[in-house]
Amino acid sequence: MALENDTTTEIEKPEKEVDFSGNYIEKFGKQDTRDQFPGAYVNWEKVGNSYIFHSENTSLELTVVTEDILKFRYGNFGYFEDDFSYGLDPDKKFEGVTSKFKETKDHFKVVTKTLKCYIYKDSLKTKICDTKDVILVEDEKGYHWQDEKVFGGNVVITTKKLKKGENFFGLGDKTGNLNLLGSRRELWGTDCYGYGNETDPVYKNIPFYLNLYKDTSYGIFLDNTFRSFFDFGKERKSACSFWAQGGEMRYYFINGPKLVDVCEKYTYLTGKSQMPPKWALGYHQSKWSYYPESTVRNLAKEFRDRKIPCDVIHLDIDYMDGFRCFTWDKKRFPNPKKMIGDLRQQGFKSIVIIDPGIKIDKNYSVYQQGVKNGYFCTRGDGPLLKGSVWPGECHFPDFTNPKAREWWATLYKGLISDGVAGVWNDMNEPAVFEDGSFPFDARHDYDGHPCTHRKVHNVYGSLMAQATCDGQNLYLDNKRAFTITRSAYAGVQRFASVWTGDNMATWEHLKIANIQCQRLSASGVSFVGSDVGGFIGSPDGELYTRWIQMAVFHPFFRTHSSGDHGDKEPWMFEEEYTNIVRKFIEMRYELMPYIYTTFWQYATRGTPMIRSLNLIAQDDPESYFREEEFMLGDNILVIPVSEAGAKNRKVYLPEGDWYCYWTDKKYKGKTEIEVETPLNQIPLFVKAGAVLPFQPKMQYTDEFEFDELTLHIYADDDENTSILYEDAGDGLEYKDGEQSVKKIITIKSLSAYIIRQKMQGNFESVYKKYRTVFHGFDSKPKMLMVDGNDITNQIELLDNTYTISLPKNFKEVLIS
Ligand code: MIG
């Protein structure tokens, strides 16, 4: 055996050649395994930048996608599937790069600038090391499969070795511990109303996980849309396996060494998010359902009267005429265009829900078009697939048919011309009332690769969201699309945001929501949020307040509820709570420049907006199992209060210096501290050296133009750079360079504290100056110079600190 420390003793090869035409169960050894393995190497060839290694039963195609990304594809008996993927970014060609190659007696070696990959001749097993030959991951059983002739279904499996000390993260919206070590998970999108910590599978199907071991890390993206499974040392402590019930074994190995690198490189493969309209980062209010029109207008009025900021109102299924998509119930909403226009005047954007089920109704044009053009899914034996959902019996578009997607996009014309600003896609697991989902025999096009529902199920939701996003882009006049979807496959970030589905109004669910959002964020999907306060049941004022306080720091911020358990508008609890909730929603708006910048970092580099502790302190073992603390962006650490009546809580501060947001008290990191948690505060810490941009509080995004942007400057001994990204907040000009990126660099030297600003880009912000507020600085400075001018006499004292106004184009400030 070529692999060191190989512990695979239970595997034995077939005694004889396998005869694929007949009954061959008895041909396998005495072990109870009918798994099949590649067998010994035969020859190799190079096709483009890929190496193909042929063995007795299997061909392995290895492509060096980038210096850090290796693609593995296994085809049995000389057959590879068409190399097509919904997960990959369609704007890129993944042809691979050249690499060094070496053959020895018992193995091959493919070497990139950062990786060495060994392929062993006796088995086609692989081992991947960094350049110092530190093993990152190696096959245990490696690639193998279960043939459908034996098992009644094809299953492709990979098993890797798992050593003590490894940790696993990612995998989309899974509940349960943030660290996946010791668990087995399934991807099969499911409408899991009232799910909990034990529920699996849930709504989304993101077959991407991250591995962290000491100072190394890597990710595996299993690009296969069949029902799939991941076992992180649950069944066998020494093995990590992943398998899919169909298709071919195709996965990408993504090198770190930092976990954040893995997240970013994953979006190199699966694509980046677009910049959202800024309002979509504001506060959203939803309920199942706000109707009729007077209720909606009244809701809007309540927000403005009570001075609680809000940007978006969501209309759930009851706005439609008998749940027919793309229609309005004209009794409830006699003039939607007028209503949406009036709401717009008050600063509200309207979002409507759209489900995939199209009511079977001969007089309904969407039904007619779908039938006439063959856009609906069929059963295996020909007839149109039927399933009951809200409208009653329905047909369902085949979103894997590009023509059906194009058609679906055109259906948004009316809603967009009514003024709808964004679309919410639900029930796209797909969910069907009695049967759960579509029958397996349902047929789909899969962009010209006809197949059954077994292959489509996990990607159906993403493709619906794609068509929905396309529809908005088609009709929105130089405005940015906003889509939110419940189900998703890898790469969904290219066209939609997501929420975590039908959760419950309990304290446990506040924690679950936090974990799901962190996990999704590590899985390429940062634009995430939960139904604030819980969808099912009624939170009390305290739980609702704590949830709002957390969700201020989650990128998608919406209160939603099922509506059958009482109302959940921010003022539905006692006055004390309303006032705190208002304060925190206001804070969301004050933080908008920071949140928007964080979004831009995500949209350009793929950096997760929400960062679990493991992402920011991976060499600190404390970060492996901490799951409540998270950072939003580069500089704010958030620790939600997740227990009723909590007067204080323990907080782990990672390495570095931190300022308590509320008191400016400075703490040394890498330690656990206890902080007080009065109801009007959530524990928040600002990284030393940060420059946090704040805008004035507003009732909605761009309510008014302001003169002065506030920069909160937190002292540190080291040099630090903070980013401020700006553009028009909507429209597409930013793609042509109408953007501005400001780097604010702070340096402490012996004689002075220096603040430098470096500006790039054409976008000119409307404000004229900065109000700078200094935190953690000694008492009033003796001298303050801006670009050579002494403005010491303009310093104003402020509580324990001081403030000064600076021209927004300043280059350098010296404080001594
Ligand atoms: O069968 O549209 O998760 O947010 O309010 C329930 C009604 C369908 C499920 C969604 C929820 C939405 C609800 N929907």
Side-chain angles (χ1 to χ4, degrees):
M1 281 303 288
L3 291 175
E4 305 99 293
N5 311 321
D6 195 331
T7 53
T8 15
T9 47
E10 72 268 43
I11 311 301
E12 283 187 15
K13 289 187 62 187
E15 281 156 10
K16 284 187 255 162
E17 274 291 294
V18 178
D19 168 8
F20 285 93
S21 56
N23 165 18
Y24 52 91
I25 293 176
E26 81 266 14
K27 293 182 178 166
F28 289 83
K30 46 191 176 307
Q31 306 294 331
D32 184 24
T33 171
R34 275 145 281 174
D35 291 345
Q36 297 185 56
F37 289 81
Y41 160 76
V42 179
N43 58 23
W44 73 277
E45 59 184 311
K46 196 165 180 215
V47 180
N49 286 320
S50 302
Y51 305 95
I52 306 183
F53 305 97
H54 300 286
S55 70
E56 288 165 292
N57 306 323
T58 301
S59 301
L60 159 60
E61 181 196 78
L62 169 59
T63 310
V64 178
V65 181
T66 70
E67 301 296 335
D68 286 309
I69 302 178
L70 304 178
K71 175 187 183 190
F72 296 85
R73 221 151 71 91
Y74 295 85
N76 294 333
F77 312 112
Y79 171 79
F80 281 112
E81 284 189 0
D82 190 2
D83 195 2
F84 171 80
S85 164
Y86 285 122
L88 296 184
D89 182 351
D91 294 338
K92 286 205 202 85
K93 292 209 176 76
F94 299 98
E95 286 164 345
V97 297
T98 54
S99 51
K100 290 197 198 113
F101 183 79
K102 201 174 153 201
E103 177 172 2
T104 68
K105 205 166 121 276
D106 63 3
H107 69 260
F108 298 96
K109 192 157 100 177
V110 173
V111 180
T112 78
K113 290 203 179 94
T114 61
L115 297 169
K116 289 183 188 170
C117 179
Y118 298 84
I119 302 98
Y120 293 95
K121 289 183 176 175
D122 61 347
S123 58
L124 283 198
K125 288 187 191 178
T126 65
K127 176 170 86 177
I128 303 172
C129 301
D130 67 12
T131 47
K132 287 175 252 139
D133 263 320
V134 173
I135 299 173
L136 300 173
V137 61
E138 71 184 300
D139 280 342
E140 192 230 29
K141 290 183 189 180
Y143 169 65
H144 54 297
W145 73 97
Q146 296 170 348
D147 194 89
E148 53 197 320
K149 295 192 199 74
V150 179
F151 290 93
N154 181 40
V155 180
V156 290
I157 314 168
T158 295
T159 302
K160 305 275 183 197
K161 289 186 184 172
L162 196 171
K163 31 185 193 309
K164 203 160 175 257
E166 290 189 33
N167 303 281
F168 296 90
F169 302 102
L171 216 65
D173 62 343
K174 296 301 177 196
T175 59
N177 297 343
L178 189 64
N179 192 333
L180 295 160
L181 181 68
S183 75
R184 179 184 279 236
R185 302 308 178 95
E186 176 178 348
L187 299 184
W188 184 254
T190 302
D191 178 2
C192 48
Y193 176 87
Y195 64 92
N197 240 334
E198 309 299 319
T199 311
D200 191 59
V202 280
Y203 299 98
K204 295 167 192 71
N205 318 298
I206 304 190
F208 166 60
Y209 70 84
L210 301 101
N211 176 289
L212 165 57
Y213 177 68
K214 297 190 174 160
D215 50 0
T216 63
S217 70
Y218 68 85
I220 297 282
F221 168 37
L222 169 64
D223 192 9
N224 180 313
T225 56
F226 283 87
R227 187 176 205 137
S228 52
F229 298 81
F230 292 78
D231 188 297
F232 303 100
K234 171 134 202 296
E235 296 302 320
R236 291 191 296 138
K237 276 205 169 60
S238 61
C240 166
S241 306
F242 48 90
W243 63 100
Q245 292 181 340
E248 73 180 12
M249 177 51 67
R250 184 194 306 167
Y251 66 85
Y252 294 81
F253 168 91
I254 306 167
N255 187 27
K258 293 257 164 247
L259 265 183
V260 173
D261 300 337
V262 180
C263 296
E264 292 177 352
K265 289 167 193 168
Y266 167 77
T267 67
Y268 170 82
L269 289 174
T270 58
K272 307 277 194 287
S273 168
Q274 303 291 306
M275 281 307 286
K278 200 186 259 178
W279 57 257
L281 294 170
Y283 175 72
H284 300 233
Q285 181 69 36
S286 183
K287 183 171 99 169
W288 177 16
S289 292
Y290 291 123
Y291 70 89
E293 174 171 333
S294 55
T295 303
V296 178
R297 285 180 181 274
N298 198 41
L299 178 74
K301 187 172 177 309
E302 292 265 10
F303 270 102
R304 296 299 178 245
D305 287 353
R306 293 170 186 275
K307 295 225 168 305
I308 296 177
C310 180
D311 256 287
V312 193
I313 294 177
H314 287 241
L315 300 181
D316 206 327
I317 48 177
D318 300 289
Y319 77 90
M320 294 182 249
D321 173 16
F323 306 114
R324 288 172 191 79
C325 293
F326 311 103
T327 67
W328 289 93
D329 180 324
K330 286 293 171 93
K331 284 207 193 74
R332 292 170 178 170
F333 296 93
N335 190 346
K337 200 170 193 156
K338 174 90 173 58
M339 176 189 80
I340 292 174
D342 291 347
L343 290 174
R344 184 72 79 152
Q345 291 294 312
Q346 295 166 267
F348 289 97
K349 275 61 66 180
S350 305
I351 286 184
V352 295
I353 196 167
I354 287 286
D355 291 352
I358 296 300
K359 188 178 177 67
I360 299 180
D361 167 1
K362 298 224 157 57
N363 301 317
Y364 171 34
S365 72
V366 178
Y367 165 83
Q368 293 162 353
Q369 292 166 28
V371 171
K372 184 162 143 251
N373 298 305
Y375 295 145
F376 292 131
C377 299
T378 60
R379 299 294 302 266
D381 53 344
L384 290 178
L385 167 77
K386 284 183 196 157
S388 282
V389 268
W390 292 105
E393 282 231 300
C394 285
H395 294 322
F396 298 84
D398 179 10
F399 292 111
T400 71
N401 171 354
K403 292 242 159 59
R405 287 200 299 275
E406 259 172 57
W407 166 66
W408 191 257
T410 64
L411 297 174
Y412 285 101
K413 188 173 184 188
L415 289 172
I416 303 290
S417 91
D418 289 335
V420 163
V423 182
W424 169 20
N425 283 166
D426 186 21
M427 303 289 277
N428 54 359
E429 290 68 32
V432 175
F433 283 164
E434 306 252 299
D435 308 318
S437 191
F438 295 176
F440 285 167
D441 66 60
R443 288 289 168 90
H444 300 271
D445 180 62
Y446 214 91
D447 279 63
H449 310 81
C451 64
T452 70
H453 193 63
R454 293 168 65 244
K455 185 171 177 181
V456 165
H457 184 84
N458 278 354
V459 75
Y460 189 86
S462 260
L463 293 171
M464 179 189 187
Q466 181 181 343
T468 297
C469 176
D470 290 347
Q472 295 170 69
N473 285 330
L474 213 52
Y475 303 113
L476 283 171
D477 186 17
N478 193 32
K479 292 248 163 21
R480 300 179 194 170
F482 175 73
T483 308
I484 172 156
T485 179
R486 194 171 70 176
S487 191
Y489 181 67
V492 68
Q493 68 270 14
R494 301 195 301 270
F495 22 77
S497 64
V498 304
W499 92 105
T500 59
D502 298 343
N503 60 359
M504 299 197 257
T506 65
W507 288 93
E508 189 191 21
H509 266 272
L510 180 152
K511 278 194 204 170
I512 293 177
N514 189 22
I515 285 175
Q516 286 184 296
C517 290
Q518 291 181 57
R519 207 196 295 285
L520 278 159
S521 204
S523 312
V525 189
S526 276
F527 206 176
V528 295
S530 60
D531 285 352
V532 173
F535 177 72
I536 303 160
S538 293
D540 60 13
E542 185 191 0
L543 174 58
Y544 183 70
T545 304
R546 291 307 196 186
W547 207 314
I548 282 276
Q549 289 172 337
M550 169 176 77
V552 164
F553 303 95
H554 285 169
F556 176 62
F557 183 23
R558 179 182 76 163
T559 292
H560 179 52
S561 66
S562 73
D564 15 90
H565 309 271
D567 294 323
K568 218 170 65 186
E569 291 73 42
W571 50 87
M572 278 304 159
F573 310 92
E574 296 88 271
E575 193 69 19
E576 179 197 5
Y577 299 110
T578 310
N579 291 336
I580 299 173
V581 165
R582 177 190 298 106
K583 202 181 103 196
F584 276 87
I585 301 180
E586 284 170 356
M587 184 174 179
R588 171 79 172 203
Y589 284 81
E590 292 176 305
L591 274 171
M592 193 58 89
Y594 177 78
I595 296 173
Y596 198 62
T597 299
T598 303
F599 204 110
W600 174 76
Q601 293 173 311
Y602 164 60
T604 49
R605 293 209 311 258
T607 321
M609 295 180 70
I610 299 181
R611 299 170 207 161
S612 313
L613 281 198
N614 54 71
L615 283 172
I616 54 165
Q618 84 181 57
D619 36 20
D620 178 356
E622 270 295 321
S623 77
Y624 302 168
F625 299 98
R626 290 268 171 185
E627 39 187 38
E628 292 198 81
E629 294 91 346
F630 67 90
M631 287 195 76
L632 174 67
D634 294 336
N635 290 320
I636 300 181
L637 179 70
V638 186
I639 309 93
V641 177
S642 54
E643 263 161 40
K647 297 266 175 306
N648 42 46
R649 71 155 297 160
K650 293 208 163 78
V651 166
Y652 185 76
L653 298 175
E655 173 116 64
D657 292 331
W658 301 88
Y659 289 91
C660 169
Y661 174 82
W662 306 106
T663 62
D664 273 359
K665 186 170 169 207
K666 196 172 172 186
Y667 294 86
K668 268 247 160 302
K670 235 177 164 170
T671 174
E672 190 177 70
I673 60 169
E674 189 158 308
V675 295
E676 287 183 7
T677 53
L679 193 63
N680 62 358
Q681 290 179 4
I682 175 175
L684 282 185
F685 292 84
V686 181
K687 208 169 165 183
V691 177
L692 292 185
F694 273 56
Q695 70 179 35
K697 50 184 181 235
M698 296 183 180
Q699 294 305 298
Y700 55 91
T701 309
D702 293 334
E703 184 191 7
F704 54 84
E705 290 182 353
F706 53 94
D707 263 12
E708 212 173 56
L709 188 81
T710 304
L711 299 179
H712 290 276
I713 301 180
Y714 289 85
D716 191 26
D717 293 339
D718 296 323
E719 179 173 333
N720 295 281
T721 301
S722 299
I723 311 282
L724 172 58
Y725 170 79
E726 294 166 319
D727 66 23
D730 205 344
L732 304 175
E733 289 82 359
Y734 78 103
K735 295 193 176 191
D736 304 319
E738 288 291 309
Q739 319 175 278
S740 130
V741 182
K742 297 175 180 167
K743 282 191 183 153
I744 302 174
I745 303 150
T746 56
I747 308 159
K748 187 176 177 182
S749 75
L750 278 179
S751 55
Y753 204 91
I754 306 164
I755 304 168
R756 290 209 180 100
Q757 178 172 235
K758 293 196 176 144
M759 296 183 281
Q760 248 184 1
N762 298 328
F763 179 77
E764 184 71 30
S765 50
V766 286
Y767 57 81
K768 308 275 179 319
K769 48 197 174 183
Y770 294 129
R771 161 72 39 194
T772 47
V773 182
F774 294 86
H775 302 266
F777 285 76
D778 301 335
S779 54
K780 200 176 159 198
K782 291 193 193 65
M783 194 168 73
L784 202 151
M785 306 271 292
V786 181
D787 297 332
N789 302 319
D790 187 340
I791 56 165
T792 317
N793 61 359
Q794 295 169 29
I795 298 174
E796 296 161 46
L797 291 176
L798 202 77
D799 299 331
N800 302 319
T801 176
Y802 58 93
T803 169
I804 193 159
S805 166
L806 296 177
K808 76 168 171 187
N809 293 328
F810 84 85
K811 291 211 172 56
E812 186 171 273
V813 177
L814 291 178
I815 305 166
S816 54

